[in-house]
Amino acid sequence: MTPQELVVRMLPPFGGWLALAALALPGGSPLRGAAVVLFLAAGPGAAAVRVCAPALGARPAEGPVERRDPDFARHSDLLERLMLTLFLSIGAVMLVATVLIATHTFSAQRVLLTLTLLTTLAAFCPPLRASPPPRTTPRTTPRTPKGSAQ
């Protein structure tokens, strides 16, 4: 692992620990709000998407029949990862908050701490391996449509 890869891998947990440290700022501080919102919107999802990145990139994007954009696959993959990051983060926040509400232990600090710990744990996970593309084998006997008489 190169130092650059290590820095990229540790950015989401660092954002979480920074957001926890920002809780020491006064309640109405814009810096505190920005740090917390930025982490909650992207931190947990970014760590999860990094773990799944090889599996996500295993199959290329399929574009429209007529290609007007030569970089369609690259732009499509980038948009896919950004949306996954956002929606996985929001889902993680909702799930953790719901569990804490159900156990009567809800507080903003606990949600943030739990997500930071989960994000740190995900940063230490190795990336998933991409599964090989499915093999296509030629059929030896022609198949008849279902319901047809032969």
Side-chain angles (χ1 to χ4, degrees):
M1 176 184 310
T2 65
Q4 280 182 325
E5 290 172 350
L6 183 64
V7 168
V8 169
R9 179 182 264 199
M10 291 299 151
L11 273 177
F14 178 72
W17 294 110
L18 189 67
L20 278 170
L23 291 179
L25 295 172
S29 171
L31 187 60
R32 175 182 176 168
V36 170
V37 168
L38 188 64
F39 171 71
L40 291 179
V49 168
R50 189 210 52 86
V51 170
C52 300
L56 291 173
R59 291 180 176 70
E62 293 180 17
V65 175
E66 51 186 61
R67 291 196 178 207
R68 295 187 180 140
D69 184 11
D71 294 328
F72 175 80
R74 186 172 56 88
H75 292 148
S76 177
D77 289 342
L78 179 62
L79 181 62
E80 174 185 326
R81 289 179 190 216
L82 286 174
M83 297 285 42
L84 272 172
T85 298
L86 178 68
F87 290 134
L88 285 174
S89 291
I90 292 171
V93 170
M94 297 295 286
L95 186 65
V96 167
T98 302
V99 167
L100 291 176
I101 288 171
T103 58
H104 303 289
T105 57
F106 177 80
S107 73
Q109 291 85 2
R110 286 186 181 139
V111 171
L112 196 57
L113 178 63
T114 304
L115 287 170
T116 300
L117 291 173
L118 289 173
T119 303
T120 304
L121 183 66
F124 288 112
C125 289
L128 295 176
R129 293 184 186 168
S131 61
R135 286 189 260 159
T136 57
T137 58
R139 294 186 178 158
T140 55
T141 59
R143 301 205 55 172
T144 58
K146 189 175 180 177
S148 64
Q150 283 255 350

